[in-house]
Amino acid sequence: MPINDEVPTGEPAKVFTGIRDVPIYAGESSTGNRLPGGPYRSAELIAIGMIMLPALWWFRTHQDAGFTVLGAAAVLALAVTVILRMLLPKRRPSLAARASFALALILPKHACAAAPQTRSGRGTQR
């Protein structure tokens, strides 16, 4: 006896339900969707793009040149990414730290005006 799985919708199309064997990652970051060494910050992605995009263009337009330019660009992009990860801060300063930086910039530096120590005639300090 055939099972009728049709759901009437008022349209001539049929709606099929129950398909569960296809994994769908909508809005999620699965392990297959990440670049190696990531996550990358925007400065790192911009640097990688500025190095690799011209290298890929060169590789596609000069096909008989070999993989030298592409390999050198990959090594350079890796080196720049490592340098940026060492130099850039992990996170932004807090609002309190920014306020203290602004105050130190705006307010004048205090000069230390200490009175010179005087000695009495006997060599003792007052």
Side-chain angles (χ1 to χ4, degrees):
M1 174 176 212
I3 298 175
N4 188 0
D5 288 338
E6 296 179 10
V7 178
T9 59
E11 298 289 325
K14 296 179 182 178
V15 177
F16 295 97
T17 61
I19 300 174
R20 303 274 185 242
D21 60 345
V22 178
I24 299 173
Y25 301 104
E28 296 179 9
S29 180
S30 64
T31 56
N33 294 338
R34 292 189 183 159
L35 294 173
Y40 294 98
R41 294 179 274 182
S42 59
E44 295 168 352
L45 289 174
I46 290 170
I48 291 170
M50 289 178 65
I51 294 169
M52 290 305 294
L53 290 176
L56 287 171
W57 172 81
W58 176 268
F59 181 72
R60 298 232 348 151
T61 57
H62 300 84
Q63 293 178 357
D64 54 335
F67 290 94
T68 308
V69 172
L70 199 59
V75 170
L76 181 63
L78 178 68
V80 167
T81 303
V82 168
I83 291 170
L84 284 176
R85 286 194 178 186
M86 287 190 294
L87 293 180
L88 291 178
K90 299 279 186 237
R91 60 187 182 132
R92 300 176 120 188
S94 66
L95 289 177
R98 290 181 191 196
S100 69
F101 297 157
L103 283 175
L105 183 67
I106 294 170
L107 295 177
K109 301 210 184 309
H110 297 288
C112 183
Q117 294 182 358
T118 57
R119 292 182 174 226
S120 65
R122 298 182 204 162
T124 60
Q125 293 181 354
R126 287 190 193 174

